[in-house]
Amino acid sequence: MKKIVMGLAAVAMAASMFATDFTGELKLTGDLFNYNTESGAMKVLSAIGSEKKAEASLTLASEKVGATVKIEKASVVALGWEWNDGLADDVKIDDNKWDPTYGEMSFGEKEFLTLSGSSIWWKPIDALKLSLNGNELSMKVKDDWEIKSGEGYGAEYTAGDFVGSVTLKGDWVAKEDKDADTTINNIGLKAVYDNADAGKVTAIAVFGPTDKNFKTIDLGLNYVKDFDGVKVDAMGLIWLNDGYNKAAAYVDVTGTAGDVAYEVKPVINTTKDAATQIDTLLKATVADVTCEVTPKFTLQDGADTVVGLNASVAYTIEGIGLKAIYDNGNFDANDGSIALEVTGTFDVMSWKVAPKFDMDKDTFSTAFETKVTF
């Protein structure tokens, strides 16, 4: 009996150290009605497109050691060949493939499962965590304005309110042959100081890759603090790249005033062609109504300032979401659009229907989307 109890205890301990997770998503999209007011082209109930996502992960974790393996669906473009109609079989030989006289190339999609990520970490002492992969250091102003170190060999040290991290990207130091220059891959450094009274300060620096001199140096700083119910989140990023430099920054202020929840977020960045973009989000929510207005300005030496605007009003009633949207990236070009998004759920499925008029395309469409997440 004692052996059985000990065996069950060992099984329970092993089970508690393992965790599995599977997520998937299937989204079908289409257009109920599409009409071009200028050409007269029309389409009703367009072909249905699909987007599929699936990911599984297995995680092992104890107080001293952890490991994660991730598997997800991926796809690649598959190149094929289609013979012209009416060709005799003796013409359809490999020597005639890829000859436009006999047919044409075709493109398809091939799907497969792939190992998307694997990592191991361990703690030789409580304050020090060493890791192989799964240790990318990053900071971003927006999805396309981001500093990333890549992953590889990492170390993280914790001392009170301070956490310091370093990541050396794989193939950190390399040399092709005895006559080639030695190259150094990315070096990522990140420091976080999080104190209830002082706020949270995060700094990041990524150097590399390089041959003789660092070709890129990316620097970022973020500060977050709550001032008596008003949260301030400020961030600045600088990319010092070989050939051009750029910067991006924002200040995000959120809070409440009476029954109104508000957010003010100016975002500024400089682009590769020396233009400066300034977008300022103004958002207010009262009960079930949310209003957003984002004026947009693009300034460039020797050119007129481009002015745009995105505005929306959203309302939820009886589980149905209604959102009216006006979007115009350039008033001078008159390339805006007006749309109404209607969203909801049915059992485990979410859905969206979005009538929209594109001014620059003279097109009215009614897109739809259904999605099941499991």
Side-chain angles (χ1 to χ4, degrees), residues 6-197:
M6 291 178 64
L8 292 175
V11 171
M13 181 179 297
S16 67
M17 294 172 63
F18 284 92
T20 58
D21 182 43
F22 175 79
T23 60
E25 180 181 285
L26 172 62
K27 181 165 66 176
L28 299 181
T29 60
D31 212 335
L32 300 178
F33 178 73
N34 189 294
Y35 176 69
N36 187 290
T37 58
E38 184 175 349
S39 67
M42 181 183 68
K43 186 180 294 185
V44 178
L45 299 181
S46 69
I48 296 174
S50 65
E51 297 179 23
K52 302 178 286 291
K53 298 179 181 178
E55 181 177 282
S57 64
L58 174 65
T59 301
L60 164 67
S62 69
E63 293 183 358
K64 295 291 186 180
V65 177
T68 299
V69 176
K70 292 183 179 180
I71 301 173
E72 67 177 2
K73 181 188 74 67
S75 62
V76 295
V77 175
L79 182 64
W81 178 257
E82 292 186 2
W83 297 101
N84 292 335
D85 293 336
L87 290 179
D89 290 340
D90 59 351
V91 176
K92 298 179 180 179
I93 58 177
D94 287 342
D95 289 344
N96 290 334
K97 270 190 176 182
W98 319 116
D99 187 335
T101 305
Y102 302 104
E104 62 182 2
M105 288 188 294
S106 62
F107 298 89
E109 185 179 58
K110 183 177 181 180
E111 298 180 346
F112 56 93
L113 293 177
T114 181
L115 186 66
S116 62
S118 57
S119 61
I120 293 177
W121 61 264
W122 68 98
K123 289 186 175 181
I125 58 175
D126 289 341
L128 179 63
K129 178 180 178 181
L130 305 177
S131 57
L132 303 175
N133 286 342
N135 45 25
E136 182 170 68
L137 307 177
S138 65
M139 185 182 291
K140 67 179 180 180
V141 168
K142 290 177 64 175
D143 287 341
D144 51 348
W145 304 338
E146 183 175 16
I147 290 177
K148 300 171 69 173
S149 68
E151 62 179 12
Y153 302 81
E156 178 183 287
Y157 182 77
T158 303
D161 296 331
F162 173 82
V163 178
S165 305
V166 57
T167 294
L168 308 179
K169 192 174 179 180
D171 292 332
W172 183 48
V173 178
K175 190 172 185 177
E176 292 294 332
D177 54 57
K178 64 180 181 180
D179 297 323
D181 292 329
T182 300
T183 60
I184 301 176
N185 215 332
N186 288 5
I187 304 172
L189 304 172
K190 192 172 186 177
V192 180
Y193 178 75
D194 192 356
N195 181 274
D197 296 326

